[in-house]
Amino acid sequence: MRKSLQTLKRLVMLTLLVGGSILSGFSQSNNAPLIERGVVHVKFSPEMAQQLSGMKVASVNGLARTGISGFDAVAASYKVTKVTPMFFAKPGREEAHRRHGLNLWYEVTLDYTSNVMS
């Protein structure tokens, strides 16, 4: 009984692995970029880490303001409404979070009519 249960578990795992590989191949086969209108993922340079750690995003007339003048100027031209970190450090893992650069990634939400590809 125990041996058949282990065999069944292995068969299920193998099926999931093979199925996942096949589905992954289908989703990547068209080579189209993944684009969601109105959302951009931004990675700031490591030199910006100090400014990012103290960044407070405020909304002024419906547009996001970070206090980082260069970013705010570009953000205003694309009508950025929200800037949020993509990854949050778990308690006790803050140093690893910074070491791997996860603190540099932000999701920027902008007016859906803005064309960032131009």
Side-chain angles (χ1 to χ4, degrees), residues 63-66 70-81 83 108 110:
L63 299 177
R65 295 288 181 253
T66 64
F71 179 80
D72 285 344
V74 173
S77 67
Y78 288 106
K79 301 176 188 154
V80 171
T81 58
V83 179
V108 177
L110 46 112

Side-chain angles (χ1 to χ4, degrees), residues 97-115:
H97 184 77
R98 282 188 297 276
R99 186 174 58 247
H100 295 291
L102 298 177
N103 60 318
L104 303 174
W105 285 94
Y106 283 78
E107 182 171 277
V108 177
T109 304
L110 46 112
D111 186 281
Y112 75 96
T113 61
S114 296
N115 185 2

Side-chain angles (χ1 to χ4, degrees), residues 50-61:
Q50 186 67 30
Q51 291 179 4
L52 294 172
S53 67
M55 181 172 72
K56 301 260 189 282
V57 180
S59 180
V60 178
N61 296 326

Side-chain angles (χ1 to χ4, degrees), residues 12-66:
V12 168
M13 291 300 292
L14 180 63
T15 303
L16 290 173
L17 287 172
V18 171
S21 297
I22 291 170
L23 290 176
S24 155
F26 284 133
S27 67
Q28 295 175 5
S29 63
N30 63 4
N31 293 327
L34 296 175
I35 297 174
E36 182 180 344
R37 197 153 185 84
V39 177
V40 177
H41 294 155
V42 176
K43 182 181 181 187
F44 288 92
S45 68
E47 294 78 27
M48 297 287 296
Q50 186 67 30
Q51 291 179 4
L52 294 172
S53 67
M55 181 172 72
K56 301 260 189 282
V57 180
S59 180
V60 178
N61 296 326
L63 299 177
R65 295 288 181 253
T66 64

